[in-house]
Amino acid sequence: MPPRSEEPRRDATGSRRGSSRGADPRSGEPGIGGISDARAYTPRGRTIREGGGAARAATSGGAEPRRTPRSSRSGDPFRPALQVLDGGRTGATRTGRRETAAGGGRVGVVRTVPRPSRARPDDEDDLPPPRRRPGPRAPRRPDRAAARRPSRKPRRPPKLADPRRRLRLGTLLTLALFATIGIRLVYLQTVDTPAYADGGLAKRLAVVDLPAPRGAIYDRTGAPLAHSVEARYVFADPTRVKDRVATARLLSPLLGLPASELAEKMKRRTLPGGGESQFQYLARGVEIDKAKQIVALDLAGIGVHRDERREVPGGDLAANLIGFTSQDMVGLEGLEAKYDDLLQGQSGRKRYEVGQGDLAAPIPGGYSETTEPKPGSSLELTIDRDLQFQVQRILSAQMAQTRGSVGAAVVLDVATGEVLAQASNPTYNAATPEESKSTAREDAATSFVVDPGSIHKAITYGAALQEGVITPETEMPIANSITKGDVTFRDTHPANGRRMSIPGMLAYSSNVGTIEIADRLGKDRLIDYQKRFGLGQPTGEGMPGEASGRLLPAAEWSGSSYGSVPIGHSVDATPLQMAAAYAAIANDGRYVQPHLIKDVIGPDGKRTPGPNPVTRSVLSPANAAALRTMLEAVTTVEGATGRAAAVSGYRVAGKTGTGLRYVDGRQQPGEVGSFIGMAPAEKPRYVVAVFVWSPGGEGGAVAAPAFREMMGFTLRHYRVPPSATSRSPKFEVFPR
């Protein structure tokens, strides 16, 4: 395309186009050019002479094309602007209009190439004709120069952007954007709502623990031995305490703690992970009235919250059995520890929305969730509170005669195996366990392991009766001593070789006679009956840490063992194990496992009986009755070892014992004095066992009198009729 000239286009006569001087004087029309010619431009401003068609025709007819003058090819610089004013339509010059020169000469008509149609942009024949101005039309003058130009296809102007397509695209993009935003909003409101809500919820939630009341421990009558009561704990936020010294002085008389101790607790402390501690216990288990007074002081940084306190009404009553808990209500010793999971229950929790700052109060209608606490179950023991108190009192009074001694006492119901009382001395106050020594908190009945001594002889005689080695009428000459291995065993009541009856051997606690009967029985059968009577294994009474004792296996017997084992040495047993063995003799030869748990009481009050006790037959009823009768000689024969254990008005069968105590395999100084008996002997109801170890050897003088008082109170407490109509038989120690 030739460059557009900046000079105004001239016609053939040399005059400028667009001048009003070029008007046709005959028609009065303005000349072609000027503003009128501006309308004949296309958007690009290029024009083609109207006579181009004739020129093409001439060219096709063989005429020499003539080059168009430069002035005719140059465009008017004002025409594009005028075309815009005309609405962008082509055809500012109309087909058929004539240009006149200044001298009246005519030139070829110029027309603008119309813009291609949108429907058919490649078909130039379909282009719309240029718009013509109304008025008379001048005759056409053939353009010889155009005729001489070679015919060529006019260039198609470049396509312009379609505003409708841009509008559609913009609309689609806008709709897509709004659709995306809408989908995201719906997703946030439906799917992600819980996540976003929970994310902010944690910052405005208050959490309050709801402690579950710990189950109580009752005696067999329903009297509480240990139970929980509602209390309060007092805490401090050291970061908010303004004056800890002044605050401590105000709290000291209410909490019963030194002000210096409270001030020390309120010191600011840095946590291991960073930051300052905002919680510190000042006191636990505070009475509610005291807590109210503390709240009324309105001290900065001091708070009060619900707590629980364990109360032991009896103080030291059955303390060695019950045990105690920590301040957090966790069982640490005794039954509190053994049945901690059952007693503890499950704590609850309340979570709710609160406001911030001065509006730190529950938000009405806000989030709130409460998990109700599940109270713990309670235990009803077989212990009789009144009997327990008397047994503890008697044991303590009798042991006051000794120094540095350890004692244990057990009362069993013969028919059921229930433990009615189980006392230890020394003891402690379970309400303030921190003030006691660990040795005072042990349950001696289940942890006190001793050589039972002569009380074991009842097992040897019972086995011999059951195996037919002896009968109640058996008599034997008894020497003053007997040697087994490298040990010589002697009697405290020498027989000097005289014949002695079985009741006499028991009454005088003959070591020689017992060893001779055991030789006839044999070690294997003796060990078998030891196990049947419950030795060598824990009773499973219910106390934690119960000792099992130990039996000497047959393979480990030495020469002296044939003399020591039958009389209760080289045997380890607890007071409870020996009491259960005597209860089997009292129960017509049937062993019943001793136990402490009578019922388990659920939070709803439903009672579940404790596990059924293990039972087994050890002796026949006849042999058990015969052995009971022979044991009565211990409390009735003149000069017998157990005369101090006789209970006025009742027949008593039992046996004294003198044994040794071992701790970690080492023999301790002194002796263990014991007495185990049953009453009424004709039909026993109860068995009482008393063991006292004393470094000075005074236990034997303490055990029998203590038994007498305990058994006497037990029989009267349960209103057992005296044995007035049934007297003990007369025994001959040395028959003629």
Side-chain angles (χ1 to χ4, degrees), residues 687-705:
V687 166
V688 176
V690 180
F691 284 70
V692 177
W693 168 77
S694 173
E698 304 93 350
V702 171

Side-chain angles (χ1 to χ4, degrees), residues 222-271:
L225 298 175
H227 64 105
S228 297
V229 296
E230 185 177 350
R232 298 290 184 269
Y233 67 77
V234 180
F235 66 94
D237 181 352
T239 62
R240 297 179 55 209
V241 175
K242 295 180 179 179
D243 187 342
R244 60 187 180 90
V245 176
T247 302
R249 289 174 180 172
L250 292 173
L251 293 177
S252 179
L254 295 174
L255 298 179
L257 296 173
S260 59
E261 179 181 341
L262 293 173
E264 180 67 23
K265 291 182 177 181
M266 286 185 278
K267 273 187 176 181
R268 292 196 173 200
R269 291 175 175 83
T270 302
L271 297 174

